[in-house]
């Protein structure tokens, strides 16, 4: 059933045994890489959404080790990238997500990290909202936690509330639900005692999945008004990022260089490279391939797009294409649509650069 589902949705479904490295994405035919932003500090997370109502189309948001929050937009007429620091927070931000929880024009940015200082300081965690209101960028601290907050997701996970909610989690091993209530939020802890620190979270439908550094993939959902958590799988290696894709398949990246694709109690393994992976994305970004692809990025600096090559009697095979490369470790990967470019992948990491990768047919 798993393989039939994957074939039907046309994304990769089997073990790939390595792929060649390239010096630059421009050396891969059909792909173009742009440096949309260069900063002097590590960038933790990135996201793509329509954040700035003054400009048409989606923008890139990225958060830094120094607490800076950047918004980067692509000019549709003059093909240039423009960046703006929209907030300076007192602590290092690790990841971010976007959503429209306040009903105003444009999406908001939600980011998590430490309350003060750096991730290595071992201090308390904090979650923030950044949004454009009344002609200026506004920052609001939404939640504090006893330890670093590392995972964040937006989606409609609560059947008792109409519309989307915000979920954050981290090293306290507690999953927090923040439900919009007017211009504020109501807070509830919907899971606790996770086996490891929460490193990533994803929501699709009523389903919330959390990736933990003890190797556990944990599902949290509301059943008959009660929040329940169950371990879907435990891989015995630290998981990092997670996404939910077509047919409910769950994609996780991990510290051992493997992507894991979980569906219906089965797991397929995709060998990417020997090193930590920090990307897990489902997106239709490859104009040379029909349907949805997977993508990842990692500590070797590469961005990979992974598509099903063919189905053979001994099982399906993957096509792994290196489409972008940074000069240092990559920490996060996102997908979206930018003016004058269309569907893109966006990556950031230790070099302080935001990279945009576009699939081209010309």
């Amino acid at each position: 059933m798993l393989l039939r589902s994957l074939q039907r949705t046309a994304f990769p479904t089997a073990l790939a045994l390595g792929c060649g490295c390239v010096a630059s994405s421009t050396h891969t035919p059909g792909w173009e890489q742009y440096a949309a932003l260069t900063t002097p500090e590590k960038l933790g997370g990135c996201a793509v959404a329509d954040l700035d109502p003054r400009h048409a189309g989606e923008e890139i948001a990225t958060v830094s080790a120094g607490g800076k929050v950047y918004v980067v937009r692509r000019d549709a007429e003059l093909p240039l990238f423009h960046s703006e620091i929209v907030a300076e927070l007192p602590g290092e931000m690790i990841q971010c997500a976007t959503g429209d929880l306040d009903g105003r024009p444009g999406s908001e940015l939600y980011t998590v990290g430490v309350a003060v200082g750096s991730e290595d300081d071992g201090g308390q965690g904090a979650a923030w909202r950044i949004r454009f209101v009344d002609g200026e960028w506004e920052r609001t601290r939404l939640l504090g936690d006893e330890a670093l907050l590392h995972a964040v997701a937006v989606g409609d996970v609560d059947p008792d509330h109409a519309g989307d909610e915000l979920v954050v989690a981290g090293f306290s091993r507690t999953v927090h639900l923040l439900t919009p209530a007017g211009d504020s939020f109501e807070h509830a802890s919907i899971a606790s005692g996770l086996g490891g620190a929460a490193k990533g979270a994803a929501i699709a439908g009523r389903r919330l999945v959390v990736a933990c550094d003890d190797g556990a993939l944990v599902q949290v959902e509301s059943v008959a008004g009660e929040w329940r958590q169950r371990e879907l799988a435990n891989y015995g290696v630290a998981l990092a990022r997670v996404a939910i894709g077509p047919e409910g398949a769950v994609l996780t990246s991990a510290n051992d260089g493997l992507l894991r694709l979980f569906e219906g109690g089965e797991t397929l393994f995709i060998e990417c490279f020997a090193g930590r992976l920090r990307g897990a994305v489902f997106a239709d970004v490859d104009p040379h391939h029909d349907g949805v692809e997977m993508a990842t990025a990692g500590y070797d600096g590469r961005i990979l797009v992974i598509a099903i090559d063919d189905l053979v009697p001994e099982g399906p095979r993957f096509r792994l294409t290196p489409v972008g490369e940074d000069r240092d470790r990559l920490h996060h990967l996102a997908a979206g649509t930018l003016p004058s470019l269309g569907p893109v992948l966006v990556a950031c990491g230790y070099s302080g650069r935001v990279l945009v990768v576009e699939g081209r047919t010309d």
Side-chain angles (χ1 to χ4, degrees):
M1 181 174 67
L2 175 62
L3 296 184
R4 288 198 302 271
S5 169
L6 297 179
Q7 183 181 10
R8 186 167 60 250
T9 53
F11 57 81
T13 56
L15 178 65
L17 300 176
C19 61
C21 183
V22 293
S24 167
S25 67
T26 56
H27 296 173
T28 301
W31 295 90
E32 188 72 30
Q33 174 175 298
Y34 308 88
L37 174 68
T38 300
T39 77
E41 57 187 343
K42 169 192 169 186
L43 298 175
C46 55
V48 184
D50 184 5
L51 296 163
D52 190 339
R54 297 172 297 179
H55 303 285
E58 297 183 337
E59 294 87 28
I60 301 166
T62 187
V63 296
S64 79
K68 294 183 180 64
V69 180
Y70 299 84
V71 170
V72 184
R73 64 181 175 88
R74 172 81 170 182
D75 193 315
E77 297 182 2
L78 292 173
L80 301 171
F81 290 96
H82 307 270
S83 63
E84 179 181 2
I85 297 175
V86 301
E88 295 191 49
L89 306 178
E92 178 175 356
M93 293 294 103
I94 306 297
Q95 289 194 56
C96 57
T98 60
D100 185 4
L101 304 186
D102 65 4
R104 297 172 181 265
S107 296
E108 309 91 60
L109 179 71
Y110 297 92
T111 184
V112 294
V114 292
V116 179
S118 75
E119 177 181 5
D120 296 332
D121 294 339
Q124 295 181 338
W128 295 81
R129 177 184 65 193
I130 312 296
R131 62 179 181 174
F132 191 82
V133 179
D134 298 330
E136 62 183 7
W137 292 99
E138 171 197 89
R139 68 176 200 175
T140 304
R141 177 167 160 156
L142 303 179
L143 179 73
D145 197 8
E146 64 187 51
L148 166 72
L149 287 172
H150 201 286
V152 56
V154 175
D156 188 8
V157 70
D158 187 353
D160 296 325
H161 171 259
D164 289 347
E165 300 86 34
L166 171 67
V167 170
V168 300
F171 281 39
S172 71
R173 306 185 181 187
T174 299
V175 180
H176 303 276
L177 178 71
L178 296 172
T179 303
D183 201 39
S184 60
F185 288 83
E186 296 177 352
H187 168 259
S189 297
I190 59 174
S192 60
L194 299 175
K199 300 297 291 290
I203 299 172
R206 304 294 190 195
R207 189 180 183 204
L208 164 66
V209 177
V210 181
C212 301
D213 68 359
D214 67 334
L217 188 61
V218 179
Q219 180 168 300
V220 181
E221 60 185 341
S222 178
V223 179
E226 178 183 354
W227 289 99
R228 300 179 183 177
Q229 63 190 75
R230 66 185 179 96
E231 190 174 282
L232 301 176
N234 194 309
Y235 300 113
V237 62
L239 305 180
R241 308 289 180 262
V242 61
I244 303 175
E247 305 290 333
V250 179
L251 182 68
T252 56
S253 60
N255 282 8
D256 60 358
L258 296 180
L259 280 176
R260 290 165 170 84
L261 187 62
F262 176 90
E263 187 183 39
E266 300 179 56
T267 300
L268 297 176
F269 299 85
I270 309 165
E271 183 178 327
C272 294
F273 43 77
R276 297 185 179 191
L277 291 180
R278 290 296 181 265
V281 169
F282 289 103
D284 184 3
V285 293
D286 187 348
H288 315 286
H289 172 260
D290 292 331
V292 176
E293 299 84 39
M294 294 186 290
T296 191
Y299 273 23
D300 77 342
R302 288 187 298 160
I303 304 168
L304 301 179
V305 169
I306 308 157
I308 191 167
D309 196 13
D310 55 10
L311 288 174
V312 292
E314 58 269 25
R317 298 184 296 186
F318 290 120
R319 182 177 74 246
L320 277 70
T321 304
V323 300
E325 188 173 37
D326 203 5
R327 54 178 173 251
D328 205 339
R329 294 165 287 176
L330 289 171
H331 197 260
H332 199 69
L333 184 69
T337 302
L338 294 181
S340 77
L341 292 181
V344 296
L345 293 170
V346 177
C348 66
Y350 284 76
S351 75
R353 299 199 301 168
V354 173
L355 302 181
V356 175
V357 176
E358 171 199 18
R360 306 185 63 163
T361 55
D362 56 354

